[in-house]
């Protein structure tokens, strides 16, 4: 898991976006083409930072709330099967 809780990609992308955002005012008057480059690069890196953050949050949520193997096993034993002809329910243990 590490020190940043699997958010290393988010951290690296966020630092890169912050550095680009901080450098932008210094390079505006340097060359007109750099203004276009920064105008495209800064929003894209912040979007990538947000995308990394939200995908890691989603992954953490799915892995923390997924049923464990023993819970899945107990759910299988409780299941019942409804027959189509009579409409009665039969459990898995009765089928075996």
């Amino acid at each position: 898991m590490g020190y940043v809780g699997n958010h290393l990609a988010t951290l690296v992308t966020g630092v890169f976006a912050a550095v680009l955002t901080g450098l932008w005012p210094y390079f505006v008057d340097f060359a007109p083409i750099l203004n276009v480059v920064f105008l495209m690069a800064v929003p894209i890196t912040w979007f990538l930072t947000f995308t990394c953050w939200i995908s890691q949050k989603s992954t953490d949520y799915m892995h923390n709330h997924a049923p464990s193997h023993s819970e899945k096993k107990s759910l299988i034993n409780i299941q019942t099967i409804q027959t189509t002809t009579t409409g009665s329910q039969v459990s898995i243990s009765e089928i075996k």
Side-chain angles (χ1 to χ4, degrees):
M1 184 115 143
Y3 292 113
V4 290
N6 286 337
H7 285 278
L8 185 60
T10 305
L11 182 68
V12 169
T13 311
V15 167
F16 183 62
V19 167
L20 281 179
T21 304
L23 288 177
W24 192 358
Y26 297 109
F27 289 103
V28 170
D29 296 329
F30 189 66
I33 192 68
L34 283 179
N35 195 19
V36 174
V37 169
F38 276 98
L39 190 63
M40 291 180 2
V42 169
I44 289 170
T45 54
W46 282 117
F47 175 74
L48 287 174
T49 303
F50 174 74
T51 304
C52 288
W53 177 76
I54 202 73
S55 65
Q56 186 60 50
K57 285 291 186 182
S58 173
T59 302
D60 292 343
Y61 178 80
M62 291 304 294
H63 286 279
N64 289 339
H65 293 352
S68 65
H69 181 66
S70 61
E71 290 175 12
K72 288 179 186 176
K73 193 173 183 181
S74 65
L75 289 176
I76 291 173
N77 293 336
I78 298 172
Q79 288 179 345
T80 59
I81 299 172
Q82 186 171 359
T83 60
T84 55
T85 55
T86 60
S88 62
Q89 291 185 350
V90 179
S91 67
I92 301 245
S93 60
E94 291 174 349
I95 291 174
K96 290 178 183 177

